[in-house]
Amino acid sequence: MNLLFPLGLAALAAWLLPLLIHLARRHPYTPLDFAALRWLRAQIRPRQRIRFDDWPLLLVRLLLLAALALLLARPALTGPAPVPAAWTVVAPGLDAGALRGGADAANWHWLAPGFPSIEQAPVPGSATLPSLLRELDAQLPAGTPLIVHVPDPLPGLDGARVQLSRDVQWHTHPLALTAERAQAAPPRLRVQADAPSAAQHWVNALQRAWGVQAAPDTLPVDALPARGETAVWTRGEALPARWQAWLGDGGQVLTAAKPAANASVLLRDASGAPLLWQQRVGRGRLLSLPADWNVAKTEALRDPHLPRALLLALQPPAPPRLGNALDQAPQRAALPAATAPVREPTAWLLLAIVLLFALERCMASSARRRTAA
């Protein structure tokens, strides 16, 4: 045990106060002279010893002052703290019930935003698995064992192996890699129903080059594309107001109209001339391919590299975010040596002071009653 403020022990000098009080309040002895003993030779009085009345009360008062002095000195207990209960987190998509079996679900949580209990539904979010692990590692007390169940292959990688402040029990569970997860589907184009036949023919050829066998659905004149679709505006004039609102709300439009002055060049043709412009409109994106969308009239549309370039422009390839889960087991970061945890028993000292004060008041009242009697 260490003292964080040793000068607080100077309060022990207050021990003199109850000692002096008890010496001053000793029972008085009044001498009485007897006539028969008046003429006797006076003898030397024996030395009187210091005696304290109510020594149990004195002891309690001294203990109370000692506890107060110890509280001011702030004692601290050092040493290993009790190890907290282990935390087990399961990545969404795994069968948490089968993994847990008959184990207690008290410290089983989803590896999802907020780390809800395994009995609750995980809250969807955009946070990746590595970022969630780092957040959980920062929240858990030091020394808490961490058990992690993840799928294999592991999604949501951010390019750097996770480093945590603790060792992790890493359990991987193989999952089948579906075709939808292996390769994202090309964007779905929606062309106007009243678009020129030559433009519709080129859009159909573009979709077939992307591997889409079915022709794109035409869009009724008074309808708007659905969320996640790419609208195709084949006219040379500006978009109507309702299309502008849909675009600003997060839509994507490929148009044949001329680009705005603040649009940036996104793609060039074989000769280096600008071919495709990009412009941000609210939360949406407007792609301008100003030309007559007729393959027979526009040489740039006959370029064999154009379909792939447009595909990358409409849907940029996502960085590789799947990896072998065994190879992505978190590493323990090289952190400076942790100091021993310090625990101050302040609550216990306060409880002892309250109890001693109550006992002292009870004993002092009894002593006064005896004196009065």
Side-chain angles (χ1 to χ4, degrees):
M1 183 177 71
N2 298 327
L3 296 178
L4 301 181
F5 187 65
L7 289 178
L9 294 180
L12 289 176
W15 271 4
L16 296 175
L17 184 62
L19 292 175
L20 294 176
I21 292 176
H22 277 255
L23 286 175
R25 298 187 61 181
R26 294 173 57 193
H27 292 295
Y29 297 96
T30 304
L32 297 176
D33 292 334
F34 290 90
L37 301 177
R38 182 178 301 174
W39 306 108
L40 294 179
R41 181 181 300 176
Q43 300 293 330
I44 299 176
R45 293 184 177 181
R47 179 178 299 176
Q48 295 182 355
R49 294 182 300 172
I50 298 177
R51 297 177 57 186
F52 294 101
D53 296 330
D54 293 326
W55 63 266
L57 176 59
L58 174 62
L59 180 60
V60 170
R61 287 174 173 171
L62 293 177
L63 288 177
L64 177 59
L65 291 176
L68 289 171
L70 191 60
L71 180 65
L72 293 176
R74 294 183 59 190
L77 305 177
T78 58
V83 179
W87 258 60
T88 303
V89 290
V90 180
L94 298 178
D95 188 354
L99 294 176
R100 180 166 57 91
D104 185 15
N107 279 336
W108 282 70
H109 299 263
W110 289 110
L111 190 56
F115 309 106
S117 173
I118 211 70
E119 304 294 343
Q120 304 174 7
V123 179
S126 58
T128 61
L129 186 142
S131 62
L132 288 171
L133 282 175
R134 297 186 186 101
E135 179 183 353
L136 179 62
D137 179 62
Q139 292 181 4
L140 290 180
T144 303
L146 181 59
I147 305 170
V148 181
H149 295 271
V150 295
D152 187 18
L154 192 63
L157 302 182
D158 55 8
R161 191 166 179 177
V162 181
Q163 291 189 343
L164 305 180
S165 64
R166 71 194 74 230
D167 293 325
V168 176
Q169 298 184 33
W170 189 256
H171 300 279
T172 62
H173 305 276
L175 290 180
L177 185 61
T178 62
E180 291 79 9
R181 294 175 56 192
Q183 182 177 7
R188 183 183 181 187
L189 302 179
R190 296 294 301 275
V191 65
Q192 305 157 262
D194 59 347
S197 59
Q200 293 191 28
H201 177 75
W202 178 71
V203 172
N204 294 344
L206 191 64
Q207 291 267 260
R208 288 195 299 270
W210 293 346
V212 180
Q213 299 302 324
D217 297 333
T218 57
L219 190 65
V221 177
D222 296 331
L224 288 173
R227 179 68 63 186
E229 296 178 338
T230 298
V232 178
W233 182 260
T234 60
R235 301 176 186 176
E237 64 266 17
L239 298 175
R242 54 193 181 89
W243 279 58
Q244 290 279 0
W246 177 83
L247 176 62
D249 195 32
Q252 181 171 255
V253 177
L254 177 63
T255 177
K258 293 183 179 180
N262 59 346
S264 59
V265 177
L266 187 63
L267 185 63
R268 297 179 182 271
D269 59 14
S271 63
L275 180 65
L276 184 68
W277 283 260
Q278 174 182 263
Q279 178 187 359
R280 288 289 179 181
V281 179
R283 294 188 292 112
R285 192 168 64 143
L286 179 63
L287 299 173
S288 299
L289 184 64
D292 185 2
W293 289 4
N294 189 331
V295 178
K297 297 180 180 180
T298 308
E299 183 180 357
L301 299 184
R302 298 194 296 268
D303 187 350
H305 302 290
L306 181 60
R308 176 168 176 79
L310 283 177
L311 177 62
L312 295 178
L314 293 173
Q315 188 181 54
R321 298 175 65 84
L322 291 176
N324 191 334
L326 290 175
D327 296 337
Q328 297 297 325
Q331 294 177 328
R332 185 161 185 173
L335 300 176
T339 58
V342 177
R343 303 183 303 277
E344 296 187 44
T346 306
W348 295 104
L349 279 175
L350 290 175
L351 178 61
I353 290 173
V354 171
L355 294 177
L356 287 173
F357 180 76
L359 181 61
E360 188 272 340
R361 288 292 86 198
C362 180
M363 296 178 66
S365 301
S366 300
R368 282 195 295 268
R369 285 196 295 269
R370 291 196 304 269
T371 303

